[in-house]
Amino acid sequence: MSPHELDVDQFALTRRDNLTTLQSHILAGQAKHPDATGTFSWILSAISLSAKVISAKIRRARIDDVLGGIGNTNVQGEKQQKLDVIANETLMRCLGNREGVAIVASEENEEPLIIQRQSTRDGRYVVLFDPLDGSSNLDTCGGVGTIFSILRHDSLADTVEESVLQKGTRQLAAGYVLYGSSTVLVLTAGAGVSMFVLDPLIGAFLRVADDLKIPKSGKTYSTNEGNRRSFDPGYQRYLDWAQENGYSSRYAGAMVGDVHRLLLQGGVFLYPPTKKSPEGKLRLMYEANPMSMIVEQAGGKACAGKQRILEIQPKALHQRTSVVLGSPDEVAHVLEHL
Ligand code: P6P
């Protein structure tokens, strides 16, 4: 090697692949659609900005004394945490000024919000989100997350609800942010699942996986066994079978943490109907649907009983559903027992 040639190896990054940020990933996706105006990209960028702000606030929550409840319950009848409100406001502020966001719908708001009336005529997108899923974990430094779903606004719809209440199969994109030991954003726009990690040193989400595939099987189930007695017998038979076959139980108490684990390691997450939540506890529009799109795009399955979750025709914004989702083989084992 002549003296002027650099030995690239000595300068090689620890990883061989290129450095791709979420921003460049989004723009590359946009470039595949020549008729794209960039509005969709701007929405994803707004969600990325929200995630960075929420992540920063969560990691300082105890220092800034913003943990704990605010003394009231939200539309779900759940104790509202201070950070629920902060996360909700952050998303509203980041999305509110983005052209093309016709409507936003949040777990924290009773009704969907028309963000830009002029765009509700020829508006482009509806964004739904659970701003801080699993927020009861905050006080004990457990994982929490943001879950989002993007639909095309139906400008011909007579009412806001009609435009929002679309089946999960009509989602244009879905994703979640897990605020855990690192801040991870997982996203699908219908052509596979990509994973990004927030590099706090540079404030950018760096892509660490593209076209993520869920393991076909995994001997881990995730459910709140405290509810076991009120599960239908089929679910109880499944739990007996799993325990007889050496399965592990893992339960984070936040859907985002449980789904992220099974997406990477395989397994199944179950929230069956219970006595307290006979329809199931998880919300269809902004928990089950986005998570089901991600899991299916990664090669997994997502069911409510025997029905495919994404095929459920929503009737109300905050309606709930039972959930069995994860590795295809593991979902099959559950359904065999129902
Ligand atoms: P339980 C959090 O409140 C949540 O909506 C999901 O993130 C989580 O999987 C589930 O509820 C936990 O419910 O009844 O086990 O506390």
Side-chain angles (χ1 to χ4, degrees):
M1 173 173 61
S2 62
H4 66 279
E5 276 181 59
L6 282 181
D7 172 359
V8 173
D9 282 351
Q10 65 180 335
F11 294 100
L13 299 169
T14 49
R15 296 171 58 101
R16 287 281 173 204
D17 55 0
N18 299 326
L19 269 186
T20 301
T21 62
L22 173 59
Q23 211 54 37
S24 50
H25 176 88
I26 292 170
L27 292 175
Q30 177 184 326
K32 292 176 189 158
H33 300 90
D35 55 344
T37 61
T39 309
F40 185 72
S41 299
W42 270 114
I43 291 171
L44 293 177
S45 156
I47 291 171
S48 165
L49 175 61
S50 306
K52 292 176 191 175
V53 171
I54 294 168
S55 181
K57 288 183 183 292
I58 282 174
R59 298 192 187 292
R60 288 186 48 86
R62 195 165 286 284
I63 297 165
D64 295 342
D65 190 25
V66 289
L67 285 173
I70 56 174
N72 71 340
T73 54
N74 63 12
V75 63
Q76 316 289 338
E78 292 167 347
K79 285 197 196 94
Q80 210 166 21
Q81 306 292 308
K82 290 175 191 165
L83 277 163
D84 281 322
V85 177
I86 291 169
N88 196 46
E89 284 171 359
T90 300
L91 278 151
M92 290 293 183
R93 286 175 60 208
C94 291
L95 287 163
N97 61 1
R98 299 283 169 145
E99 185 264 334
V101 176
I103 300 168
V104 293
S106 165
E107 185 216 31
E108 297 299 328
N109 299 88
E110 172 83 33
E111 299 299 328
L113 216 54
I114 295 181
I115 285 281
Q116 299 185 47
R117 188 156 296 282
Q118 76 281 3
S119 69
T120 50
R121 278 193 308 279
D122 55 5
R124 310 294 293 280
Y125 302 100
V126 176
V127 184
L128 304 98
F129 50 79
D130 180 355
L132 208 53
D133 175 62
S135 53
S136 54
N137 279 350
L138 282 165
D139 288 5
T140 54
C141 209
V144 293
T146 297
I147 309 173
F148 60 90
S149 168
I150 302 177
L151 295 164
R152 186 173 299 286
H153 173 52
D154 176 0
S155 53
L156 301 177
D158 296 332
T159 64
V160 168
E161 281 72 17
E162 206 179 306
S163 177
V164 173
L165 299 179
Q166 300 178 42
K167 282 185 180 182
T169 47
R170 298 188 45 89
Q171 293 175 104
L172 299 176
Y176 62 79
V177 185
L178 172 59
Y179 310 102
S181 49
S182 60
T183 297
V184 178
L185 187 146
V186 171
L187 168 70
T188 180
V193 177
S194 301
M195 181 163 88
F196 304 82
V197 175
L198 179 62
D199 180 339
L201 295 180
I202 61 174
F205 277 105
L206 301 183
R207 191 172 68 193
V208 294
D210 218 7
D211 199 19
L212 200 63
K213 289 300 175 198
I214 190 169
K216 190 167 171 298
S217 61
K219 294 183 77 169
T220 300
Y221 68 83
S222 184
T223 194
N224 182 339
E225 299 211 45
N227 298 325
R228 175 183 173 133
R229 289 173 182 273
S230 69
F231 288 170
D232 290 348
Y235 291 106
Q236 299 198 37
R237 283 195 297 272
Y238 164 73
L239 290 176
D240 292 340
W241 173 86
Q243 287 161 9
E244 284 154 13
N245 285 273
Y247 277 56
S248 293
S249 171
R250 291 282 183 278
Y251 192 64
M255 188 183 196
V256 177
D258 287 317
V259 171
H260 191 63
R261 181 187 53 253
L262 64 80
L263 194 62
L264 299 184
Q265 298 178 348
V268 64
F269 172 85
L270 313 87
Y271 207 109
T274 63
K275 201 166 161 192
K276 187 180 167 197
S277 310
E279 297 302 316
K281 176 185 180 184
L282 300 179
R283 273 60 56 130
L284 174 65
M285 296 302 294
Y286 41 80
E287 285 179 317
N289 272 345
M291 289 309 205
S292 299
M293 181 179 184
I294 291 166
V295 167
E296 287 198 1
Q297 282 285 317
K301 295 278 183 207
C303 303
K306 303 262 185 192
Q307 184 177 12
R308 184 184 175 211
I309 287 175
L310 294 181
E311 291 291 351
I312 296 174
Q313 176 52 56
K315 294 183 178 59
L317 174 62
H318 298 298
Q319 84 177 57
R320 298 170 187 266
T321 178
S322 68
V323 173
V324 176
L325 61 75
S327 298
D329 291 2
E330 304 307 330
V331 171
H333 286 316
V334 177
L335 298 186
E336 283 154 16
H337 290 83
L338 296 191

